[in-house]
């Protein structure tokens, strides 16, 4: 199929202005169906959880990140670039999402790159416990 395109990264205005008018979108029934699916996904953000499919999957090289919520902020910590079982590709990156501003902020990185670890909140702090990286298993905790 020539229109195997993953549209959800595009804004709905881009779908209308740039994609909808392409010849293949006009001529091919399957492409029109994909376009309609992408458009509906974009204009109905509060129903996106009902429309999940392989075409709406998050596209990122970072996998297996841990998530915690503290004081209405979402923390996304660590993870892995690419998928290696050995801990290769573990990252130390940390981000905080502010739902009031609808904005992600890169915050201080962890001291150790980690995958397959626990991220928990205790007494107003976020803790990363255990996990692995290219050095092997980690028996440490970061706050």
């Amino acid at each position: 199929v020539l229109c195997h395109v993953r549209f959800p990264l595009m804004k709905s205005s881009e779908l209308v202005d740039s994609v909808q008018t392409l010849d293949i979108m006009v001529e091919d029934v399957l492409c029109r169906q994909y376009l309609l699916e992408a458009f509906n996904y974009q204009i109905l953000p509060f129903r996106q959880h009902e429309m999940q499919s392989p075409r709406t999957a998050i596209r990122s090289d970072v996998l297996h990140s841990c998530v915690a919520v503290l004081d209405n902020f979402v923390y996304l910590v660590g993870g892995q670039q690419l998928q290696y079982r050995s801990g290769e590709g573990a990252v130390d990156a940390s981000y905080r999402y502010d739902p009031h501003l609808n904005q992600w902020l890169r915050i201080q990185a962890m001291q150790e790159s980690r995958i397959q670890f626990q991220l928990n909140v205790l007494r107003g702090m976020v803790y990363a416990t255990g996990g692995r990286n290219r050095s092997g298993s980690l028996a440490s905790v970061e706050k």
Side-chain angles (χ1 to χ4, degrees):
V1 175
L2 294 175
C3 65
H4 182 68
V5 180
R6 293 163 68 128
F7 293 122
L9 286 177
M10 303 180 87
K11 297 177 182 173
S12 53
S13 61
E14 293 173 315
L15 291 171
V16 171
D17 296 339
S18 302
V19 178
Q20 177 174 271
T21 57
L22 295 174
D23 289 342
I24 194 163
M25 294 309 208
V26 174
E27 297 165 5
D28 188 280
V29 173
L30 186 57
C31 288
R32 279 197 311 266
Q33 288 174 343
Y34 285 160
L35 179 63
L36 180 60
E37 177 184 0
F39 189 68
N40 286 335
Y41 190 87
Q42 290 297 334
I43 64 170
L44 301 169
F46 296 105
R47 293 186 52 200
Q48 288 175 349
H49 66 283
E50 299 171 3
M51 296 184 257
Q52 294 303 304
S53 75
R55 290 179 298 283
T56 60
I58 295 173
R59 291 173 248 346
S60 172
D61 290 338
V62 178
L63 305 171
H64 306 301
S65 296
C66 286
V67 177
V69 176
L70 173 63
D71 297 330
N72 293 321
F73 292 103
V74 176
Y75 291 83
L76 181 70
V77 180
Q80 180 176 357
Q81 290 182 330
L82 306 174
Q83 284 189 318
Y84 298 105
R85 292 184 180 180
S86 64
E88 288 286 321
V91 295
D92 61 1
S94 300
Y95 300 89
R96 185 186 77 188
Y97 177 71
D98 183 339
H100 303 292
L101 300 176
N102 190 25
Q103 194 171 37
W104 285 96
L105 173 67
R106 189 169 186 151
I107 59 176
Q108 183 175 343
M110 292 187 293
Q111 294 176 11
E112 294 268 4
S113 298
R114 295 175 187 265
I115 63 169
Q116 299 174 344
F117 63 101
Q118 291 287 320
L119 191 67
N120 295 299
V121 173
L122 179 65
R123 296 185 183 137
M125 300 300 254
V126 177
Y127 293 87
T129 306
R132 296 183 323 170
N133 62 23
R134 71 175 49 197
S135 300
S137 293
L138 299 168
S140 62
V141 176
E142 295 188 46
K143 175 171 81 166

